[in-house]
Amino acid sequence: MSSDKVKIWGAKTARSLRPIWMAEELEIDYELLPIGPRTGETLSEEYTKLNPKQKIPFLEHGGFKLSESLAMCKYLQNTFPSKNLFIPQIPKDLAREDEWCSFVYGELDETCLYVMRRHYDLTDIYGAAPNVVKSCREYLERQFRVIEPYLEKKDSILDQGFGLADIFLMSCLDWAVYYEFDLPKNITIYRDTISERKAFKKAMEINFQS
Ligand SMILES: N[C@@H](CCC(=O)N[C@@H](CS)C(=O)NCC(=O)O)C(=O)O
């Protein structure tokens, strides 16, 4: 029988940080199964039955099963309301949050950082591709030039306060710093401010030390 407690699979990556951080912000009682990337754990028969994509992160709640870090975070924020973060309710706010999450996921995560992960980090599996890595670097810097003026004097993406879009952007900024990008001034101030959040510190510790 499935329990009503939220279970989250996955640790040690920027993508797994997101639902863990969201769960910490919402102060929910969840169980983490900290399986890691490239450990073979995602390939086990048991895990493949849960998530045929053989990827982390993954979530189960009362028999409801969900993959994809963005869908998981949205499910959590809509299921467990909290005063700790702004959860959009009206179409314009929802669209603004979607706009930022799509931009961060599509342009920063998948187009640049995950391609770099393959051809800069995991070269023994995917092969080195210096030209690809160079163009990812240039492309990501171009995206930072879009974000930089937007974040002037802002400590959250939406004017109403910290929320899902910030969790997504922060996960990519930390990833970029890990890949030795120099962040522009406003983005650095924004990142430093959000890094002070209690839930962020706890999620970072759980995600990277589990
Ligand atoms: N679009 C997915 C991407 C998930 C993904 O690619 N996860 C990687 C780690 S970041 C993975 O599980 N790779 C397989 C493995 O490590 O065994 C999401 O955002 O959740």
Side-chain angles (χ1 to χ4, degrees), residues 185-197:
K185 182 177 134 263
N186 296 335
I187 299 180
T188 301
I189 296 170
Y190 162 89
R191 177 169 173 259
D192 289 348
T193 307
I194 294 188
S195 298
E196 288 305 312
R197 291 181 77 85

Side-chain angles (χ1 to χ4, degrees), residues 13-16 18 36-43 47 53-58 67-70 72 105 109-110 114 117-118 126 168 175:
T13 80
R15 273 101 175 247
S16 61
R18 297 165 185 159
R38 321 280 158 200
T39 57
E41 290 161 303
T42 57
L43 307 178
Y47 189 72
K53 291 176 184 168
Q54 300 182 317
K55 298 262 189 175
I56 52 165
F58 186 76
S67 62
E68 300 299 328
S69 54
L70 180 56
M72 290 166 62
Y105 199 86
D109 179 318
E110 288 204 310
Y114 201 67
R117 172 150 167 82
R118 293 186 165 194
Y126 295 105
F168 266 68
W175 198 353

